[in-house]
Amino acid sequence: AAAGVAARTMDRGEGSPGGGPGAVGAATPDVRRRPEREQGAGGLCRGEHDGAVAVPGAARPAAVDGADDDPEKDVITGLALNYRVESHRAFVGSVRKAGYRGDIVIITEPLRRMQEAAATFLRSMGVVAYAVEPDCSASSGGSIKHKTCKWRRGQPALPLAIIRHALYLAIASLYSPRSNFYVADYRDTFFQRDPFAALGRRLAGLDLLLVAEHWPFKQIGNCPFNGGWVRNCWGKEPFEKMRRQVVLCSGSYMGAQPAIVNFERLLLAEVQANECHTRGVPSDQGYLNFLYYMGRLPPQTFVQDRGDGVVNTVGSLDGSRPRKAGYLPESHVNIDQYWQIRDPDGYVLQDDKLTRSAAVHQWDRFHLEFRDFVQRLGDCDPPTCYDLPSS
């Protein structure tokens, strides 16, 4: 069978089970019927499914056309709308080059709008790509994630930062409880090691790994973004309870499949209950921090510090978000010379200054320093770097 990116269109049907037309949290796929698949240009697959909710398919897709489904594979997933091949190489190429051979499932634009070079590369890397076409034309938001978009008939317009969680839930629902997931921001993450191997153990049940940003610098109380999101949505009392806590990142988390399903359902239920986006809170990060620090997540949830876990979230090391007098120089700092956490080959190190971090998030804050290195990491092409499994 020919290798292909399984590029399907997200359902735009009416209603959703477990709620009325405005419900956003009840994404459960109908696994009784497989979607019809037709061969598209260049070996890419297209198709529609018959589910009643915003789920990517009626059955789990295969990264290789005709290959047997393996719902127990581990999964890395993320929202990857409208990126050129360079961004796909940084994320997909680097993790394949690091030795990861599980599923990579992305949410992206339809094949007809995808850059040809990007489609060719994703196909060669065995990526499963689901298409979604949000209409964000009425939104004036700056960041694409924070734009409020129409995305499905019968559903309210929501920020893409929230919509992606309904789609993550749908994708996770297609896999076995034995699968482990890594949900990642796509544009500003690259890999240096297989993240699941770096974790050192299998996650099971409701095991959920959350990732802290830089402590003690990045606290909810001194971050105008996260602090503002909590105050504006949940009020002063929750903010006061959380203000001295480290900011947790909504762009990197890992879990066993049941934990991911549970987390996404909890987050979407909180969206439906409080509608923070209608009060100037378009981000999902406020929801994640609120759920964790207010004790809404299972006791199996645990947090890894920056520089001491699977994901090294380096963004706030530049000192600009926010800037605290005396903490860093008033101008941008160099992550290598100032922090000295890169080895002679350019790899980012953990705080022990010895171990290479498995994943590096928010590298774009140091774009000029990382650009050439990330390009080299993403230089992955079959057959020398990654071979698709034979059918």
Side-chain angles (χ1 to χ4, degrees), residues 147-167:
K147 286 183 178 292
T148 299
C149 308
K150 298 177 182 177
W151 63 294
R152 185 168 176 267
R153 289 193 305 273
Q155 297 283 348
L158 291 168
L160 276 173
I162 302 300
I163 292 170
R164 63 179 179 171
H165 289 279
L167 305 181

Side-chain angles (χ1 to χ4, degrees), residues 125-254:
M125 294 291 105
V127 169
V128 177
Y130 290 120
V132 63
E133 287 192 273
D135 178 3
C136 309
S137 58
S139 178
S140 58
S143 167
I144 182 66
K145 286 195 306 184
H146 295 166
K147 286 183 178 292
T148 299
C149 308
K150 298 177 182 177
W151 63 294
R152 185 168 176 267
R153 289 193 305 273
Q155 297 283 348
L158 291 168
L160 276 173
I162 302 300
I163 292 170
R164 63 179 179 171
H165 289 279
L167 305 181
Y168 295 156
L169 172 58
I171 290 167
S173 298
L174 300 174
Y175 280 80
S176 160
R178 288 174 289 278
S179 294
N180 278 198
F181 272 73
Y182 177 178
V183 181
D185 275 354
Y186 194 87
R187 179 185 57 82
D188 59 355
T189 298
F190 67 81
F191 297 89
Q192 303 180 138
R193 299 158 57 204
D194 180 332
F196 297 102
L199 182 59
R201 69 179 180 93
R202 297 294 296 173
L203 300 174
L206 294 180
D207 289 343
L208 181 68
L209 186 166
L210 303 180
V211 176
E213 299 197 29
H214 187 48
W215 172 264
F217 180 54
K218 194 75 174 284
Q219 299 178 34
I220 289 173
N222 70 7
C223 176
F225 304 104
N226 286 277
W229 293 331
V230 172
R231 282 195 307 269
N232 291 340
C233 189
W234 293 279
K236 184 177 180 180
E237 184 175 348
F239 170 74
E240 289 298 328
K241 291 180 179 179
M242 299 166 57
R243 66 180 305 158
R244 289 182 173 82
Q245 302 293 343
V246 66
V247 171
L248 305 178
C249 185
S250 60
S252 304
Y253 51 97
M254 299 176 73

Side-chain angles (χ1 to χ4, degrees), residues 84-348:
R84 298 182 65 81
V85 67
E86 292 80 8
S87 294
H88 293 298
R89 281 187 173 275
F91 188 95
V92 174
S94 66
V95 78
R96 288 299 193 210
K97 198 171 188 177
Y100 173 70
R101 295 298 179 261
D103 280 3
I104 301 174
V105 183
I106 64 173
I107 304 155
T108 188
E109 68 273 15
L111 178 61
R112 68 179 184 278
R113 292 177 48 203
M114 187 180 293
Q115 182 194 26
E116 183 177 353
T120 299
F121 174 72
L122 294 174
R123 182 186 307 120
S124 73
M125 294 291 105
V127 169
V128 177
Y130 290 120
V132 63
E133 287 192 273
D135 178 3
C136 309
S137 58
S139 178
S140 58
S143 167
I144 182 66
K145 286 195 306 184
H146 295 166
K147 286 183 178 292
T148 299
C149 308
K150 298 177 182 177
W151 63 294
R152 185 168 176 267
R153 289 193 305 273
Q155 297 283 348
L158 291 168
L160 276 173
I162 302 300
I163 292 170
R164 63 179 179 171
H165 289 279
L167 305 181
Y168 295 156
L169 172 58
I171 290 167
S173 298
L174 300 174
Y175 280 80
S176 160
R178 288 174 289 278
S179 294
N180 278 198
F181 272 73
Y182 177 178
V183 181
D185 275 354
Y186 194 87
R187 179 185 57 82
D188 59 355
T189 298
F190 67 81
F191 297 89
Q192 303 180 138
R193 299 158 57 204
D194 180 332
F196 297 102
L199 182 59
R201 69 179 180 93
R202 297 294 296 173
L203 300 174
L206 294 180
D207 289 343
L208 181 68
L209 186 166
L210 303 180
V211 176
E213 299 197 29
H214 187 48
W215 172 264
F217 180 54
K218 194 75 174 284
Q219 299 178 34
I220 289 173
N222 70 7
C223 176
F225 304 104
N226 286 277
W229 293 331
V230 172
R231 282 195 307 269
N232 291 340
C233 189
W234 293 279
K236 184 177 180 180
E237 184 175 348
F239 170 74
E240 289 298 328
K241 291 180 179 179
M242 299 166 57
R243 66 180 305 158
R244 289 182 173 82
Q245 302 293 343
V246 66
V247 171
L248 305 178
C249 185
S250 60
S252 304
Y253 51 97
M254 299 176 73
Q257 185 266 1
I260 297 298
V261 168
N262 181 66
F263 169 72
E264 303 298 358
R265 285 176 175 165
L266 288 172
L267 187 147
L268 292 167
E270 191 65 27
V271 170
Q272 192 165 347
N274 280 293
E275 297 186 330
C276 299
H277 59 283
T278 65
R279 285 173 273 171
V281 184
S283 175
D284 54 348
Q285 193 166 12
Y287 286 103
L288 182 148
N289 280 275
F290 175 81
L291 290 171
Y292 179 74
Y293 287 120
M294 299 307 290
R296 304 283 186 87
L297 298 181
Q300 295 91 328
T301 305
F302 63 104
V303 175
Q304 288 187 338
D305 294 337
R306 187 214 62 75
D308 191 36
V310 176
V311 185
N312 197 339
T313 305
V314 300
S316 60
L317 296 183
D318 74 351
S320 63
R321 302 182 183 211
R323 182 166 297 285
K324 181 180 177 183
Y327 179 75
L328 285 176
E330 287 301 316
S331 59
H332 177 84
V333 300
N334 182 291
I335 197 168
D336 186 6
Q337 295 175 355
Y338 187 90
W339 290 102
Q340 297 181 350
I341 55 169
R342 296 183 75 185
D343 69 16
D345 295 319
Y347 288 87
V348 177

